[in-house]
Structures are given as C-alpha cells and as structure tokens.
Amino acid sequence: MNTKEMRAKSPEDLNKELLNLRKTQFSLRMQVATQQLTNTTQISRVKREVAQIKTILTEKASAK
C-alpha cells in the first residue's frame, strides 16, 4: 500500500491495518528466531509500513 492510499483511509481503518501489521511483524520475528524465514527483507518492509501508518495517524490527530 502506498502513502496516497494510506492518507485516503480513515483513522479507524489505519488502526486496523496497524494491528494487522504488528501481528505480521511478530510472526516474522518468530520465524527469524526459529530460522524459518528465508526472505529477511520482509521485516524491514513491515517495519517501514508501521512507521508510515503511525506518522499518518499523528498527522491526522494534530490536524483536528
């Protein structure tokens, strides 16, 4: 999902997406710990998306 799509979503949708990404991030960390993850770039991608969503949520909260 790109930044334009994220900005178009409501804060409730962004919070749901954030929760989903946090679950994915936890799952990826567990896969790394058990040496089951082969594509480690997924971790940084998910981490970046979490940061983007948090930034957008902060921007929307301060705009009110």
Side-chain angles (χ1 to χ4, degrees):
M1 178 180 342
N2 62 19
T3 309
K4 288 182 182 181
E5 292 172 353
M6 287 182 197
R7 289 187 193 279
K9 288 190 172 188
S10 68
E12 294 82 19
D13 290 339
L14 288 173
N15 281 324
K16 288 178 186 175
E17 184 68 27
L18 182 62
L19 181 63
N20 186 23
L21 286 172
R22 288 289 192 175
K23 288 179 182 179
T24 303
Q25 189 177 27
F26 179 77
S27 173
L28 290 173
R29 283 196 329 253
M30 290 301 111
Q31 288 178 17
V32 166
T34 59
Q35 299 179 352
Q36 294 176 345
L37 186 65
T38 56
N39 186 4
T40 56
T41 58
Q42 291 176 331
I43 296 171
S44 59
R45 181 186 52 81
V46 170
K47 189 175 178 181
R48 186 179 319 116
E49 285 186 23
V50 166
Q52 287 174 340
I53 289 176
K54 285 179 134 184
T55 302
I56 292 170
L57 283 171
T58 304
E59 288 174 355
K60 287 186 180 217
S62 65
K64 287 184 179 179

